[in-house]
Amino acid sequence: MKTFGAYLRKAREDKELPLRKVAAVLDIDTSILSKIERNERKATIEMIPLFSTVLGIQIKELQIEFIKSVVISELGGLEFLKIGLKETLVEL
């Protein structure tokens, strides 16, 4: 599975946007954005609308990619992950 950082990098490169321009919209240093793209740091939920604006991607798509990445990276090794997710969805 492609990580959220790799997803963001590809989207940025597809738009031919330099790190500095995207980082400026996020109000973070380019080194932090670079680390997010390399999965050395995690993007925050608050960054999603900003990424949406600068990359021209719908918030829904970004949230889905973010959720997938967080669930897999944090819980991907759990044997009963699918069952737990199904039960969680029933409760929502």
Side-chain angles (χ1 to χ4, degrees):
M1 182 214 152
K2 182 171 33 175
T3 63
F4 189 63
Y7 171 84
L8 293 173
R9 175 179 280 170
K10 181 175 180 342
R12 180 182 60 76
E13 290 174 346
D14 287 351
K15 298 273 186 199
E16 299 180 356
L17 292 168
L19 275 169
R20 64 181 169 74
K21 286 194 177 185
V22 176
V25 171
L26 295 165
D27 195 27
I28 60 175
D29 192 82
T30 55
S31 65
I32 292 174
L33 178 56
S34 180
K35 288 178 182 180
I36 289 170
E37 289 186 350
R38 293 191 317 265
N39 293 300
E40 294 173 7
R41 285 189 71 149
K42 293 183 181 186
T44 64
I45 293 170
E46 295 79 20
M47 291 177 175
I48 292 174
L50 300 171
F51 278 121
S52 175
T53 300
V54 71
L55 298 174
I57 301 171
Q58 300 240 345
I59 288 179
K60 178 182 177 180
E61 182 179 333
L62 282 167
Q63 281 187 6
I64 290 168
E65 291 297 322
F66 182 80
I67 291 165
K68 288 182 348 187
S69 179
V70 169
V71 168
I72 289 171
S73 69
E74 298 291 325
L75 305 172
L78 294 175
E79 182 179 358
F80 302 106
L81 176 61
K82 288 182 182 180
I83 295 168
L85 289 173
K86 285 179 184 177
E87 290 185 15
T88 300
L89 291 173
V90 168
E91 292 183 22
L92 289 176

